[in-house]
Amino acid sequence: MNRSITSHSRYCLLYNLGLMPYIDALEWQRSLLQERIKNPNLEDVLILLEHPPVYTLGQGATPEFLKFDLDNNTYSVYIVERGGEVTYHCPGQLVGYPILNLQRYRQDLHWYLRQLEEVLIRALARYGLEGERITGFTGVWVQGRKVAAIGIKVSRWITMHGFALNVCPDMTGFERIVPCGISDKPVGCLAELIPGITCDEVRANIAQSFAEVFDVELVTADPHGNLPTIKV
């Protein structure tokens, strides 16, 4: 699928997927990034999915934030190229991986992080929840609890990795780490405030907020490689 964008429209392919092993999504992101470094005219991409239980550490992450032995454990753990400390992914957490060419937007990483936060804040507002930023930190909080983590990697102004929103996950996995290296601010999820909420219903709100914030037209893409057909 190598349909190039035109100079008149800014499209972003939306892959709205289910549960995918972390390593598969990671290799897919790396492939998409390299393709766009070679051909910057390729469309931007937004991947929305969930992962089986997995811990990930960013470059330079602090092992002391793990409450288990990194070299002797039964958990799935990956050290990856994103920024940030250790985090946890599991079903019930909606993960978004934007593969964007920031030369189309703004070549400013701080701006990009704030835009990702804005996507999440707008999506939360659709449920009457006030998402908040905390000065000096990256992510989104609701009522003092961190509900969304953000970690990115940018190469040649092409982005990968992204955000993770705790919708209705099993929160016990967070007990084995100091999430994002922040020991004095608890993590939370939307289900604590909106019982019965699911990732499936949140996906549409995230997609709509993403389209608004980045001023793109989302086009639903076929994960099997066929040309996109459904506009969102």
Side-chain angles (χ1 to χ4, degrees):
M1 185 194 317
N2 290 327
R3 185 172 62 87
S4 297
I5 64 170
T6 70
S7 59
H8 304 291
S9 301
R10 191 155 66 189
Y11 293 100
C12 181
L13 302 183
L14 172 64
Y15 289 92
N16 209 351
L17 309 177
L19 200 65
M20 176 180 285
Y22 184 82
I23 189 62
D24 292 349
L26 180 61
E27 292 301 327
W28 186 21
Q29 288 182 78
R30 288 171 174 166
S31 174
L32 291 170
L33 181 142
Q34 290 303 319
E35 288 174 357
R36 281 151 181 78
I37 288 176
K38 293 178 182 177
N39 182 2
N41 291 321
L42 293 177
E43 298 101 329
D44 292 329
V45 171
L46 173 63
I47 302 168
L48 295 178
L49 45 64
E50 299 171 59
H51 289 308
V54 60
Y55 293 95
T56 73
L57 295 87
Q59 286 185 331
T62 308
E64 287 76 15
F65 292 142
L66 294 173
K67 298 180 181 179
F68 56 84
D69 186 347
L70 183 60
D71 299 319
N72 184 23
N73 69 85
T74 59
Y75 308 119
S76 180
V77 183
Y78 293 95
I79 300 174
V80 296
E81 61 270 75
R82 65 164 172 81
E85 291 286 351
V86 60
T87 193
Y88 176 64
H89 301 302
C90 67
Q93 181 192 74
L94 184 59
V95 178
Y97 295 131
I99 313 296
L100 305 184
N101 184 345
L102 292 183
Q103 295 181 77
R104 297 183 181 134
Y105 304 89
R106 186 182 300 181
Q107 296 177 51
D108 184 328
L109 299 188
H110 293 288
W111 173 87
Y112 178 56
L113 290 169
R114 302 294 82 77
Q115 295 301 98
L116 292 182
E117 290 170 346
E118 182 65 21
V119 169
L120 297 160
I121 288 169
R122 291 193 186 194
L124 293 172
R126 300 178 194 278
Y127 294 98
L129 299 177
E130 183 178 356
E132 300 174 331
R133 296 179 174 94
I134 295 181
T135 302
F137 295 98
T138 298
V140 177
W141 282 257
V142 174
Q143 298 181 11
R145 302 175 72 83
K146 189 172 187 179
V147 299
I150 296 173
I152 65 169
K153 167 71 175 179
V154 178
S155 299
R156 308 279 183 89
W157 294 110
I158 310 296
T159 71
M160 63 178 290
H161 295 286
F163 59 85
L165 175 64
N166 296 334
V167 179
C168 54
D170 177 356
M171 298 293 290
T172 58
F174 288 99
E175 297 173 0
R176 304 185 188 102
I177 61 174
V178 179
C180 303
I182 305 173
S183 60
D184 61 345
K185 294 178 175 60
V187 293
C189 67
L190 303 191
E192 295 167 342
L193 303 169
I194 308 173
I197 194 169
T198 66
C199 282
D200 285 343
E201 65 180 277
V202 174
R203 288 168 182 268
N205 286 331
I206 289 288
Q208 184 176 350
S209 297
F210 185 91
E212 292 172 359
V213 169
F214 287 97
D215 191 23
V216 295
E217 180 178 358
L218 288 178
V219 181
T220 299
D222 185 337
H224 300 295
N226 297 320
L227 287 173
T229 56
I230 304 172
K231 294 183 178 181
V232 176

